[in-house]
Amino acid sequence: MNHRVLLVSTSDILSREAAIIAKGLGLRLDIRKGGLLTDGHRHALEQQNKYDVFISQGGTALLMEETLSKPVISINISVADYVQALNKAKRFGRKVALVSYDCPLLKELESLAQLTADFDFKLFSYSSKADFKDQIDRVFSLSDHTVIGLGACTCEHVKTHGVNYVMVESSKENIRSALVAAKNIIDLNYKERLTASRVTNILNYSREGIFSVGKDGVIQIMNFAAEKIFNVHLADVVGKNIDCPDVPHIFRDIYEDGSFVVNETVISGETAFIVNRIQQSINKSIEETLVTFQSISDIQSLERKSRNAL
């Protein structure tokens, strides 16, 4: 399988851990280093057609979810991950400034920090690159604060000012969970594509003519045999209502009222057909009617050939 996953990584640590875990899972993983602040989400959008699943975390993942049409998996950042970073920050002093993409988890963390006297805690949240720059300027106006952030981009901004920095790191378990989820999506997509391919081959290489009509009366599919029997091109009928004057009357003769039948003889013009109409239902609602048919003369011809072969 050539399915690929793109990780838009917010740190070198995440890149290394993900690469090791992906190798163990047999998952084909490409890594783009740099998140929201280096337009990692835009890179993902530009490369969308090359990948089946995307992975990131924090604000980068949220923005990717909003802009991509492919599955996006967010690596979970738990309260425990934030608390671990807070404990590391204690080595530098009790004054701590958290710079993070705005998310519901921050309120829990802020409430948790207020319950202890160990920290002089300040929160600076952002929702865009412009917000980030404004909040970083506010952080630098503080004195003697250790900055906690989610990625390498924040680290680069902070270290140029000689400020202590601690990065929030997702646990290996959460990174692995995200990669396993991506692999499961790919496996499921592969099975669905294989099933669709099988059904297509069955339809197109069946001796019987096959077409289907949706509950709105529109012809949904038609196979090669039906094209040959009706002497009509697929593109001329699929997508049209069966009652449309452009659709040959033989469709309506065989479809009749769409009711369920098995091995019913239907006459259209001078040709007799054996017809089956099977209704496809979802939640007890008929969504589509599948029609299979074969001319009686073709069936008789096939029987003669079979007897001669014996």
Side-chain angles (χ1 to χ4, degrees), residues 30-47:
D30 288 348
I31 299 174
R32 197 277 188 185
K33 295 183 179 180
L36 168 67
L37 303 178
T38 58
D39 294 328
H41 59 298
R42 292 183 179 176
H43 173 81
L45 182 60
E46 292 169 357
Q47 303 296 314

Side-chain angles (χ1 to χ4, degrees), residues 4-289:
R4 291 194 296 169
V5 178
L6 177 65
L7 167 65
V8 179
S9 176
T10 55
S11 72
D12 290 338
I13 295 173
L14 174 58
S15 299
R16 286 195 299 270
E17 292 292 348
I20 293 170
I21 295 171
K23 185 177 181 180
L25 293 172
L27 181 67
R28 186 178 177 187
L29 180 71
D30 288 348
I31 299 174
R32 197 277 188 185
K33 295 183 179 180
L36 168 67
L37 303 178
T38 58
D39 294 328
H41 59 298
R42 292 183 179 176
H43 173 81
L45 182 60
E46 292 169 357
Q47 303 296 314
Q48 182 168 206
N49 293 332
K50 295 182 180 180
Y51 297 94
D52 295 281
V53 185
F54 294 82
I55 303 175
S56 193
Q57 66 178 177
T60 306
L62 291 173
L63 281 176
M64 287 165 58
E65 288 174 358
E66 292 175 1
T67 56
L68 301 182
S69 59
K70 298 284 185 71
V72 176
I73 298 171
S74 178
I75 299 173
N76 185 44
I77 304 172
S78 65
V79 170
D81 296 329
Y82 280 105
V83 170
Q84 187 176 30
L86 283 169
N87 288 330
K88 289 181 181 179
K90 285 169 65 174
R91 295 177 299 177
F92 302 108
R94 61 183 298 275
K95 294 183 177 181
V96 175
L98 172 63
V99 181
S100 174
Y101 194 86
D102 190 22
C103 65
L105 187 62
L106 295 184
K107 292 182 180 179
E108 294 181 38
L109 189 64
E110 191 171 25
S111 298
L112 184 65
Q114 289 172 353
L115 292 176
T116 176
D118 291 348
F119 297 104
D120 174 4
F121 181 83
K122 288 183 171 54
L123 173 64
F124 299 87
S125 62
Y126 61 92
S127 58
S128 67
K129 187 187 292 188
D131 283 348
F132 172 80
K133 292 178 179 178
D134 290 341
Q135 295 291 48
I136 280 291
D137 289 340
R138 290 181 60 199
V139 170
F140 292 151
S141 69
L142 302 175
S143 61
D144 301 325
H145 274 71
T146 297
V147 175
I148 298 176
L150 296 180
C153 295
T154 306
C155 179
E156 291 173 7
H157 281 80
V158 168
K159 285 190 173 180
T160 56
H161 289 73
V163 177
N164 291 321
Y165 179 74
V166 174
M167 185 161 59
V168 180
E169 300 175 22
S170 291
S171 66
K172 292 181 181 180
E173 290 76 14
N174 285 338
I175 297 172
R176 181 180 178 82
S177 293
L179 291 169
V180 168
K183 188 175 187 299
N184 289 341
I185 290 173
I186 286 173
D187 290 344
L188 180 61
N189 286 346
Y190 174 76
K191 290 176 182 177
E192 288 179 346
R193 290 172 185 174
L194 182 59
T195 299
S197 177
R198 286 172 181 161
V199 171
T200 298
N201 286 332
I202 290 170
L203 287 173
N204 286 332
Y205 294 99
S206 170
R207 294 181 63 88
E208 291 183 310
I210 302 172
F211 68 92
S212 71
V213 179
K215 64 180 180 180
D216 56 359
V218 174
I219 298 171
Q220 305 290 335
I221 61 170
M222 184 174 73
N223 71 345
F224 294 154
E227 280 189 296
K228 183 178 179 181
I229 295 168
F230 290 157
N231 192 28
V232 63
H233 292 298
L234 181 148
D236 293 335
V237 293
V238 170
K240 291 184 178 180
N241 193 288
I242 195 167
D243 293 323
C244 177
D246 294 340
V247 175
H249 68 85
I250 192 171
F251 279 88
R252 293 182 285 278
D253 292 343
I254 290 176
Y255 182 70
E256 293 183 334
D257 62 357
S259 59
F260 173 80
V261 295
V262 176
N263 294 331
E264 181 174 274
T265 300
V266 174
I267 307 296
S268 178
E270 298 179 355
T271 306
F273 295 94
I274 297 297
V275 175
N276 298 292
R277 292 193 293 268
I278 302 97
Q279 295 166 334
Q280 312 293 319
S281 298
I282 298 177
N283 295 328
K284 298 182 180 181
S285 173
I286 298 173
E287 299 295 322
E288 188 176 42
T289 299

Side-chain angles (χ1 to χ4, degrees), residues 271-274 294-304:
T271 306
F273 295 94
I274 297 297
Q294 192 170 8
S295 71
I296 292 177
S297 62
D298 284 347
I299 296 172
Q300 292 171 338
S301 175
L302 181 61
E303 289 176 345
R304 285 194 297 271

